[in-house]
Amino acid sequence: MPSSRLINDRAFHHSDTRPIHRKVELPPALDAPREHFATAHLKKVAYYVAGPEMGTPLVLLHSINAAPSAFEMKPLFDHYRVNRRVYVPELPGFGFSDRSKRTYSPELFANAINVFLSTIVKETADIVAFSLTSEFAARAALAAPERFRSLALLSPTGFNKRRLPSGITSQILHRIFTLPLFGQALYNLVTVRPSIRYFLKRSYVGEPPKELVDYAYVTSHQPGAKNAPFYFLSGQLFTPNAIQTLYAKLSLPVLAIYDRDANVSFELLPNFIRTHENWHSARIEPTLGIPQWERPQETIAALNAFWRDITEKR
């Protein structure tokens, strides 16, 4: 199974084992106003925003898996909205954003992030990205560094030695996943509650919160919900050699928060940190890939120390 968490989030009451997907009303992921904007390629990208318009804006970016949404960033959103402006966009293919049947690519996601920063946030911001979205955020920062004051990565992909499917292999996998009967059966299998609970438990120390499971179930039962995940599952959203292609080219302050992860590993991260002065790391133990939920206070403390250090050095 490709890396990044397969499933996360919260939802409503259908049978745990019923394989047939029926639309369930999607509630807001966060208790905040929800707005939307459009790009040249997307009719609608939704986002939540709250907090006083003071200081450096904070943008929180959820992960990519079978059922992600802004709900993944809820602990950080609820904490920081008290004293700073916080934005949480829902990336293309997920949440209340455009879920159309189209080509999903790293470039599409990076472009959506940059359009969001330039047209909605409109100020240099601190960005926090989760899992595979770390690669998209790095790509966006390389394209528009003036939009980023700093970049913090939660369980970032790209630092494991194991190679993921790419090129023709990932294209073949995507064709298989999108076969009419097989594809729907596969998606049904990974988005029933027992499967969601299983995958989430692999990424969580102890028992995962029911609200995470519930929201994942609801958001994965929306029209078009399988379109983007099939690009993820086939490996087409990962950047080959992300370290050299993306991470090593960044010049802004970067923080990597990690420990262990059921889906990715970080063998290459410690040496990379040692050889890149603008990179910093915080190991938050014990966590299995979702530090903002498993150890929110420690995650917040690591972020605050990182931002404080940036401010003091200016």
Side-chain angles (χ1 to χ4, degrees):
M1 187 85 51
S3 59
S4 193
R5 35 246 14 83
L6 180 61
I7 316 252
N8 300 340
D9 286 315
R10 149 183 144 200
F12 291 34
H13 306 306
H14 276 13
S15 167
D16 273 9
T17 56
R18 182 177 299 170
I20 298 174
H21 274 210
R22 299 183 179 180
K23 182 181 177 182
V24 194
E25 182 179 356
L26 183 63
L30 302 171
D31 182 15
R34 187 178 70 248
E35 308 290 344
H36 68 271
F37 68 100
T39 75
H41 307 287
L42 300 159
K43 293 181 179 179
K44 179 181 178 181
V45 179
Y47 67 94
Y48 298 87
V49 58
E53 295 188 37
M54 54 188 294
T56 303
L58 174 60
V59 177
L60 307 174
L61 302 173
H62 65 74
S63 74
I64 302 294
N65 51 69
S69 72
F71 194 79
E72 293 178 341
M73 311 309 286
K74 185 177 187 298
L76 300 181
F77 180 80
D78 289 346
H79 175 81
Y80 285 111
R81 67 183 294 177
V82 175
N83 54 24
R84 64 190 296 187
R85 195 70 162 175
V86 188
Y87 299 85
V88 190
E90 295 195 299
L91 297 176
F94 303 104
F96 286 91
S97 292
D98 186 339
R99 298 195 190 213
S100 58
K101 189 173 183 179
R102 54 167 303 118
T103 298
Y104 290 86
S105 67
E107 293 79 10
L108 178 77
F109 289 104
N111 179 69
I113 292 168
N114 273 337
V115 172
F116 178 72
L117 293 175
S118 64
T119 62
I120 303 301
V121 181
K122 299 180 182 179
E123 297 178 62
T124 301
D126 291 321
I127 313 298
V128 178
F130 180 28
S131 196
L132 174 56
T133 305
S134 298
E135 297 183 20
F136 307 152
R139 186 180 292 270
L142 291 174
E146 71 279 4
R147 299 292 175 189
F148 291 70
R149 185 182 83 128
S150 70
L151 179 58
L153 311 176
L154 307 176
S155 299
T157 58
F159 290 101
N160 51 300
K161 292 181 179 179
R162 179 170 58 91
R163 297 297 180 187
L164 296 167
S166 61
I168 189 64
T169 301
S170 62
Q171 293 173 25
I172 292 172
L173 284 173
H174 185 262
R175 291 193 193 104
I176 294 172
F177 291 153
T178 54
L179 290 172
L181 295 179
F182 177 79
Q184 188 62 59
L186 172 65
Y187 191 71
N188 288 346
L189 178 64
V190 299
T191 57
V192 290
R193 274 201 179 85
S195 293
I196 292 172
R197 199 175 295 115
Y198 167 78
F199 287 111
L200 186 56
K201 194 167 185 177
R202 294 180 71 232
S203 296
Y204 209 91
V205 174
E207 194 66 28
K210 183 177 181 296
E211 58 186 333
L212 280 173
V213 177
D214 285 344
Y215 202 86
Y217 179 83
V218 169
T219 196
S220 66
H221 285 67
Q222 302 305 306
K226 67 179 183 293
N227 291 328
F230 282 153
Y231 283 89
F232 161 73
L233 291 170
S234 62
Q236 294 193 60
L237 300 184
F238 295 85
T239 298
N241 194 14
I243 289 180
Q244 297 305 319
T245 303
L246 302 173
Y247 296 141
K249 296 179 180 180
L250 295 171
S251 58
L252 78 168
V254 183
L255 171 67
I257 295 177
Y258 75 105
D259 182 24
R260 294 179 296 133
D261 194 302
N263 302 298
V264 300
S265 58
F266 307 101
E267 302 105 315
L268 303 177
L269 180 59
N271 185 62
F272 180 83
I273 296 290
R274 284 192 293 270
T275 57
H276 293 79
E277 293 184 356
N278 61 310
W279 278 72
H280 312 272
S281 65
R283 186 159 192 170
I284 298 181
E285 303 175 281
T287 56
L288 289 176
I290 316 177
Q292 71 273 27
W293 275 88
E294 299 174 276
R295 294 288 184 272
Q297 294 309 313
E298 292 92 333
T299 301
I300 288 166
L303 290 169
N304 289 345
F306 172 57
W307 293 324
R308 185 167 56 248
D309 186 59
I310 292 172
T311 302
E312 290 173 355
K313 287 181 177 178
R314 290 193 168 187

